[in-house]
mmCIF file of all heavy atoms in Angstrom:
data_model
loop_
_atom_site.group_PDB
_atom_site.id
_atom_site.type_symbol
_atom_site.label_atom_id
_atom_site.label_comp_id
_atom_site.label_asym_id
_atom_site.label_seq_id
_atom_site.Cartn_x
_atom_site.Cartn_y
_atom_site.Cartn_z
ATOM 1 N N LEU A 468 62.392 -56.374 -113.426
ATOM 2 C CA LEU A 468 61.892 -57.534 -114.191
ATOM 3 C C LEU A 468 61.748 -58.766 -113.313
ATOM 4 O O LEU A 468 62.642 -59.033 -112.534
ATOM 5 C CB LEU A 468 62.960 -57.843 -115.311
ATOM 6 C CG LEU A 468 62.718 -59.167 -116.082
ATOM 7 C CD1 LEU A 468 61.429 -59.044 -116.909
ATOM 8 C CD2 LEU A 468 63.932 -59.487 -117.010
ATOM 9 N N HIS A 469 60.635 -59.383 -113.436
ATOM 10 C CA HIS A 469 60.362 -60.672 -112.743
ATOM 11 C C HIS A 469 60.259 -61.795 -113.722
ATOM 12 O O HIS A 469 59.496 -61.742 -114.745
ATOM 13 C CB HIS A 469 59.001 -60.594 -112.005
ATOM 14 C CG HIS A 469 58.949 -59.529 -111.002
ATOM 15 N ND1 HIS A 469 59.314 -59.719 -109.646
ATOM 16 C CD2 HIS A 469 58.643 -58.200 -111.122
ATOM 17 C CE1 HIS A 469 59.188 -58.531 -108.970
ATOM 18 N NE2 HIS A 469 58.762 -57.639 -109.874
ATOM 19 N N ALA A 470 61.126 -62.777 -113.601
ATOM 20 C CA ALA A 470 61.205 -63.942 -114.549
ATOM 21 C C ALA A 470 60.762 -65.211 -113.856
ATOM 22 O O ALA A 470 61.336 -65.470 -112.794
ATOM 23 C CB ALA A 470 62.608 -64.163 -115.094
ATOM 24 N N VAL A 471 59.761 -65.822 -114.379
ATOM 25 C CA VAL A 471 59.161 -67.030 -113.790
ATOM 26 C C VAL A 471 59.246 -68.212 -114.659
ATOM 27 O O VAL A 471 58.973 -68.090 -115.892
ATOM 28 C CB VAL A 471 57.642 -66.783 -113.461
ATOM 29 C CG1 VAL A 471 57.085 -68.012 -112.729
ATOM 30 C CG2 VAL A 471 57.490 -65.547 -112.640
ATOM 31 N N GLY A 472 59.762 -69.349 -114.214
ATOM 32 C CA GLY A 472 59.763 -70.521 -115.044
ATOM 33 C C GLY A 472 60.832 -71.558 -114.670
ATOM 34 O O GLY A 472 61.636 -71.326 -113.762
ATOM 35 N N LYS A 473 60.774 -72.683 -115.351
ATOM 36 C CA LYS A 473 61.716 -73.773 -115.069
ATOM 37 C C LYS A 473 63.102 -73.404 -115.698
ATOM 38 O O LYS A 473 63.129 -72.822 -116.735
ATOM 39 C CB LYS A 473 61.221 -75.076 -115.688
ATOM 40 C CG LYS A 473 59.909 -75.592 -115.021
ATOM 41 C CD LYS A 473 59.439 -76.870 -115.628
ATOM 42 C CE LYS A 473 58.146 -77.329 -114.964
ATOM 43 N NZ LYS A 473 57.597 -78.597 -115.598
ATOM 44 N N ILE A 474 64.162 -73.728 -114.963
ATOM 45 C CA ILE A 474 65.446 -73.417 -115.394
ATOM 46 C C ILE A 474 65.984 -74.381 -116.484
ATOM 47 O O ILE A 474 66.086 -75.663 -116.158
ATOM 48 C CB ILE A 474 66.448 -73.368 -114.218
ATOM 49 C CG1 ILE A 474 65.953 -72.368 -113.224
ATOM 50 C CG2 ILE A 474 67.831 -73.017 -114.701
ATOM 51 C CD1 ILE A 474 66.695 -72.468 -111.895
ATOM 52 N N LYS A 475 66.257 -73.894 -117.675
ATOM 53 C CA LYS A 475 66.847 -74.774 -118.751
ATOM 54 C C LYS A 475 68.254 -74.355 -118.999
ATOM 55 O O LYS A 475 68.945 -75.083 -119.705
ATOM 56 C CB LYS A 475 65.986 -74.631 -120.018
ATOM 57 C CG LYS A 475 64.536 -75.019 -119.850
ATOM 58 C CD LYS A 475 64.380 -76.504 -119.601
ATOM 59 C CE LYS A 475 62.882 -76.909 -119.556
ATOM 60 N NZ LYS A 475 62.779 -78.385 -119.367
ATOM 61 N N ASP A 476 68.741 -73.180 -118.505
ATOM 62 C CA ASP A 476 70.007 -72.673 -118.801
ATOM 63 C C ASP A 476 70.551 -71.972 -117.540
ATOM 64 O O ASP A 476 70.085 -70.925 -117.178
ATOM 65 C CB ASP A 476 69.964 -71.720 -119.948
ATOM 66 C CG ASP A 476 71.415 -71.340 -120.491
ATOM 67 O OD1 ASP A 476 72.205 -71.000 -119.609
ATOM 68 O OD2 ASP A 476 71.549 -71.403 -121.714
ATOM 69 N N GLU A 477 71.511 -72.571 -116.851
ATOM 70 C CA GLU A 477 72.046 -72.054 -115.599
ATOM 71 C C GLU A 477 72.720 -70.740 -115.824
ATOM 72 O O GLU A 477 72.673 -69.896 -114.901
ATOM 73 C CB GLU A 477 72.998 -73.070 -114.981
ATOM 74 C CG GLU A 477 72.325 -74.315 -114.464
ATOM 75 C CD GLU A 477 71.486 -74.120 -113.162
ATOM 76 O OE1 GLU A 477 71.640 -73.059 -112.543
ATOM 77 O OE2 GLU A 477 70.676 -75.014 -112.884
ATOM 78 N N GLU A 478 73.374 -70.556 -116.922
ATOM 79 C CA GLU A 478 74.042 -69.301 -117.222
ATOM 80 C C GLU A 478 73.016 -68.127 -117.259
ATOM 81 O O GLU A 478 73.328 -67.042 -116.715
ATOM 82 C CB GLU A 478 74.797 -69.364 -118.543
ATOM 83 C CG GLU A 478 75.580 -68.143 -118.880
ATOM 84 C CD GLU A 478 76.318 -68.158 -120.158
ATOM 85 O OE1 GLU A 478 76.602 -69.352 -120.663
ATOM 86 O OE2 GLU A 478 76.589 -67.086 -120.796
ATOM 87 N N LEU A 479 71.864 -68.337 -117.854
ATOM 88 C CA LEU A 479 70.890 -67.300 -117.858
ATOM 89 C C LEU A 479 70.339 -67.028 -116.451
ATOM 90 O O LEU A 479 70.031 -65.818 -116.148
ATOM 91 C CB LEU A 479 69.705 -67.710 -118.814
ATOM 92 C CG LEU A 479 69.988 -67.806 -120.281
ATOM 93 C CD1 LEU A 479 68.829 -68.325 -121.052
ATOM 94 C CD2 LEU A 479 70.462 -66.450 -120.828
ATOM 95 N N LEU A 480 70.197 -68.053 -115.644
ATOM 96 C CA LEU A 480 69.778 -67.829 -114.292
ATOM 97 C C LEU A 480 70.757 -66.943 -113.552
ATOM 98 O O LEU A 480 70.403 -66.057 -112.769
ATOM 99 C CB LEU A 480 69.592 -69.158 -113.588
ATOM 100 C CG LEU A 480 69.307 -69.075 -112.103
ATOM 101 C CD1 LEU A 480 67.898 -68.393 -111.859
ATOM 102 C CD2 LEU A 480 69.216 -70.462 -111.490
ATOM 103 N N MET A 481 72.009 -67.192 -113.851
ATOM 104 C CA MET A 481 73.101 -66.356 -113.193
ATOM 105 C C MET A 481 72.960 -64.885 -113.592
ATOM 106 O O MET A 481 73.120 -63.998 -112.819
ATOM 107 C CB MET A 481 74.497 -66.876 -113.557
ATOM 108 C CG MET A 481 75.601 -66.300 -112.757
ATOM 109 S SD MET A 481 77.199 -67.062 -113.188
ATOM 110 C CE MET A 481 76.812 -68.752 -112.743
ATOM 111 N N GLN A 482 72.639 -64.668 -114.947
ATOM 112 C CA GLN A 482 72.491 -63.346 -115.396
ATOM 113 C C GLN A 482 71.356 -62.573 -114.650
ATOM 114 O O GLN A 482 71.511 -61.444 -114.248
ATOM 115 C CB GLN A 482 72.197 -63.302 -116.865
ATOM 116 C CG GLN A 482 73.412 -63.664 -117.722
ATOM 117 C CD GLN A 482 73.073 -63.534 -119.240
ATOM 118 O OE1 GLN A 482 72.360 -62.696 -119.607
ATOM 119 N NE2 GLN A 482 73.622 -64.483 -120.059
#
Side-chain angles (χ1 to χ4, degrees):
L468 173 66
H469 300 268
V471 183
K473 295 179 180 179
I474 301 166
K475 300 293 184 179
D476 190 312
E477 292 288 346
E478 183 181 334
L479 291 176
L480 175 62
M481 190 178 301
Q482 289 183 36

